[in-house]
Amino acid sequence: MSHKHLKEAFVSNLNGTSLLEISLGLSLAPLCLLCRGLLLVLYHLHCRKPLSSRKYSLLLDFLVLVSPLVFSCTVLSPVLFVVPATLAAFCAGIFSKIYSQRKHETKVPFRQLVKDFQETYLDPEYVPAITVFRVFINVLTSISILAVDFPQYPRRYAKAETYGTGVMDFGVGAFVFGNALVCPEVRQKSYVTQSKFSSLARQFFSVWPLIFLGVGRLLSVKSIEYHEHTSEYGVHWNFFFTLAFVRLAASLLLATFPKNKSWIVAINLAVLYQLILNTTSLKMFILHGSNGGDSRVGFLNANREGLLSLFGYLAIYMASVQVGLCLLKCRNSVKGWIEAVCFLLLTVLLLFLLLHVSQAYVDPVSRRMANLSYCIWVLAHCLTFLAWFVVTDLMLVFTKLLVKGARVPCCWNIVQSPHTSKKQEAEAVPVGGEGICLISAINKNQLLFFLLANVMTGALNMLIDTIHSNTAFTLCILHFYMFFNCLIMFMLHTKNIVLKFW
């Protein structure tokens, strides 16, 4: 077997992992974020100033936000259930230290602190959970696309062949979900309120980088005979094309239907697509081709997975538009966000119940077809991930109330807390001052970060025999790869460079 075929076989015929393990894995990023925030507050408590060194800020962010994720999907994967508990205990220890050492003037009964916390007003124009969600999905995806080629990355985390819930199966849907959260229709861009024609024209123009990248990936993969898993998207199709065409189709739908009814469009799309899969030969066509023997003759046959799964991804996108509109409603108090989290968690519970029914009586989860169960699963875990980030931000807001003047990048600014005048609050916490951090750096150039990760993944696969790499070498390569990507984003951010010209 050639080296190319060996690598293709290494990521083929897999069945995924359990929903519980994926939930445990997704809890790590919010816990890492909480840990980073608490460490910064503790530093401020002892040094009476925020961490101002850019060098140390980058190192702290990488070691606390990125490195644990690399370890958790490699050497710590056999004991993954212990990792969240360990991080949670560490965070509890830091919070306990902050609470016991807070300033004398903040020493009030805990019940009063909770009451003041609920009455605290936050910046209504910024929802950090959305930014953090999109950045961590990008980071997790970047880690996985290289790590999957190493033996230390569990095969159960890789994409399932036909049915199953792999970590990377979730990553694909979550990427689409994250894009929809910040689409122009959700952000109320000024040009969206203009004529539908001009809005659509702008949307069509904005996807050309994705199509360009898709063509570039296609040509490069074919020219160097890079290993590829054909049953993922097909012979010529790739994820860049999926992102582009889903966004185009969604723009057409949002120009036709009211955006606040996008959840209805999403349900109709997912259910109708599943109905067609179950009542016609479409499912057999996707899985086995037109001749039943996995034929790849003709464009539709060759790219049937990529083309037909667009319906499922479009349903996920439309549902995410509704989520984005819900999250960006004007809430300016902690109490309002606690109610929003409760609503998210109830929705998650309902979605997991629907997922159980769908898998038992309709069809198991299949990323390859992007069927109804897949759409429900992605939405359920994406909303869980978002809810955890909102809870994390609220916990950091509570901690910042204990230590006046403490600042945590990519966290809510406290507009006004109880018993504090607006003038005092403005002096204590400068509004809009986020500082330099890795999350905001990646957020400014997300497409570039994803592109750089893809290019480096290809280069490292050509230079290294990943399949036979030992553990120490694998961890070194993964850390070097992620640190290099993060360093480039950080340097661009410090110079305020955004490589977006479309």
Side-chain angles (χ1 to χ4, degrees):
M1 185 181 290
S2 68
H3 191 64
K4 176 187 174 183
H5 291 140
L6 190 64
K7 286 201 170 187
E8 289 173 353
F10 193 56
V11 295
S12 301
N13 302 313
L14 304 172
N15 300 311
T17 184
S18 67
L19 297 179
L20 177 60
E21 186 169 21
I22 292 174
S23 297
L24 286 172
L26 289 178
S27 70
L28 296 178
L31 285 169
C32 289
L33 186 69
L34 178 61
C35 181
R36 192 278 301 255
L38 292 173
L39 286 171
L40 288 173
V41 174
L42 184 63
Y43 177 85
H44 185 277
L45 183 64
H46 284 282
C47 300
R48 300 294 186 269
K49 62 179 182 179
L51 183 64
S52 57
S53 170
R54 290 178 176 179
K55 177 175 64 176
Y56 292 131
S57 177
L58 172 61
L59 288 174
L60 174 68
D61 284 357
F62 184 80
L63 290 175
V64 179
L65 300 180
V66 179
S67 191
L69 303 180
V70 174
F71 281 106
S72 67
C73 68
T74 51
V75 292
L76 294 180
S77 58
V79 290
L80 184 65
F81 64 94
V82 176
V83 182
T86 305
L87 282 172
F90 185 66
C91 289
I94 301 173
F95 177 79
S96 177
K97 191 171 182 65
I98 292 170
Y99 184 75
S100 62
Q101 295 183 8
R102 69 194 191 280
K103 291 183 179 179
H104 177 72
E105 59 267 23
T106 62
K107 285 190 175 180
V108 294
F110 186 78
R111 184 174 295 180
Q112 183 62 42
L113 281 173
V114 173
K115 184 179 178 182
D116 291 347
F117 168 65
Q118 291 178 337
E119 295 172 359
T120 298
Y121 287 93
L122 307 172
D123 181 2
E125 301 297 322
Y126 176 55
V127 183
I130 294 177
T131 298
V132 174
F133 173 91
R134 297 182 70 243
V135 167
F136 270 108
I137 289 298
N138 212 332
V139 168
L140 289 166
T141 302
S142 299
I143 293 171
S144 294
I145 59 175
L146 177 60
V148 70
D149 295 315
F150 290 90
Q152 289 74 22
Y153 188 88
R155 295 301 89 196
R156 66 184 184 276
Y157 288 1
K159 290 176 180 174
E161 186 69 26
T162 302
Y163 294 105
T165 53
V167 173
M168 295 184 73
D169 292 314
F170 168 73
V172 177
F175 215 98
V176 173
F177 184 94
N179 279 358
L181 283 177
V182 294
C183 71
E185 292 83 2
V186 170
R187 289 179 294 161
Q188 310 287 344
K189 284 284 188 179
S190 58
Y191 63 79
V192 176
T193 59
Q194 298 172 3
S195 70
K196 289 183 179 181
F197 178 78
S198 61
S199 174
L200 283 173
R202 192 179 183 99
Q203 290 296 303
F204 272 75
F205 178 73
S206 68
V207 301
W208 75 261
L210 291 171
I211 295 175
F212 177 79
L213 292 173
V215 172
R217 176 178 171 79
L218 171 63
L219 295 176
S220 60
V221 166
K222 299 301 180 184
S223 61
I224 62 175
E225 294 190 352
Y226 188 75
H227 66 277
E228 53 185 332
H229 192 188
T230 306
S231 65
E232 282 186 22
Y233 300 105
V235 178
H236 311 104
W237 203 262
N238 58 58
F239 189 50
F240 290 111
F241 290 139
T242 295
L243 290 176
F245 282 90
V246 164
R247 183 166 175 180
L248 286 177
S251 297
L252 288 170
L253 288 175
L254 290 168
T256 306
F257 301 100
K259 61 185 178 183
N260 61 345
K261 303 295 183 184
S262 57
W263 66 277
I264 298 176
V265 178
I267 291 173
N268 282 317
L269 270 171
V271 171
L272 182 60
Y273 176 52
Q274 184 64 54
L275 192 62
I276 295 172
L277 284 173
N278 285 1
T279 57
T280 68
S281 59
L282 186 63
K283 183 190 295 186
M284 293 301 294
F285 172 71
I286 295 174
L287 298 180
H288 305 294
S290 57
N291 65 349
D294 199 28
S295 169
R296 294 288 173 180
V297 178
F299 182 78
L300 183 58
N301 251 323
N303 303 286
R304 55 184 185 267
E305 294 91 350
L307 290 168
L308 293 170
S309 64
L310 288 175
F311 293 103
Y313 290 122
L314 183 57
I316 293 171
Y317 191 101
M318 296 299 291
S320 180
V321 167
Q322 190 71 55
V323 174
L325 291 170
C326 178
L327 289 175
L328 290 177
K329 280 182 180 177
C330 190
R331 297 182 185 88
N332 58 359
S333 68
V334 166
K335 189 175 181 180
W337 277 105
I338 291 175
E339 292 172 357
V341 169
C342 292
F343 178 74
L344 278 176
L345 293 177
L346 284 174
T347 306
V348 167
L349 179 61
L350 176 62
L351 285 170
F352 274 117
L353 288 173
L354 289 174
L355 176 61
H356 176 74
V357 172
S358 180
Q359 290 212 93
Y361 299 104
V362 182
D363 211 12
V365 171
S366 173
R367 174 208 44 81
R368 188 173 176 181
M369 292 183 283
N371 60 2
L372 177 62
S373 294
Y374 177 76
C375 295
I376 297 172
W377 170 53
V378 168
L379 291 173
H381 264 132
C382 281
L383 291 180
T384 305
F385 207 30
L386 265 174
W388 282 339
F389 281 128
V390 175
V391 170
T392 298
D393 284 326
L394 291 174
M395 292 175 73
L396 290 175
V397 167
F398 182 81
T399 308
K400 288 197 293 182
L401 287 174
L402 299 177
V403 184
K404 299 301 181 184
R407 295 170 62 189
V408 179
C410 291
C411 178
W412 264 308
N413 285 323
I414 299 174
V415 177
Q416 187 176 8
S417 58
H419 316 303
T420 308
S421 69
K422 290 184 179 180
K423 182 179 178 181
Q424 288 174 321
E425 194 63 40
E427 290 172 355
V429 185
V431 176
E434 284 198 4
I436 300 292
C437 80
L438 186 57
I439 292 173
S440 53
I442 296 173
N443 184 55
K444 274 196 171 182
N445 286 288
Q446 290 223 38
L447 183 57
L448 178 65
F449 182 80
F450 185 57
L451 174 61
L452 186 60
N454 274 269
V455 171
M456 283 198 68
T457 295
L460 289 169
N461 263 287
M462 292 175 65
L463 294 172
I464 298 170
D465 181 11
T466 55
I467 296 178
H468 301 103
S469 298
N470 61 44
T471 301
F473 182 73
T474 297
L475 290 174
C476 286
I477 290 296
L478 289 175
H479 276 87
F480 163 77
Y481 154 80
M482 286 305 298
F483 186 77
F484 180 80
N485 287 353
C486 292
L487 180 62
I488 296 297
M489 298 304 108
F490 199 82
M491 290 171 63
L492 291 173
H493 185 44
T494 56
K495 298 181 184 299
N496 200 28
I497 298 174
V498 180
L499 296 179
K500 183 174 180 180
F501 45 87
W502 55 90

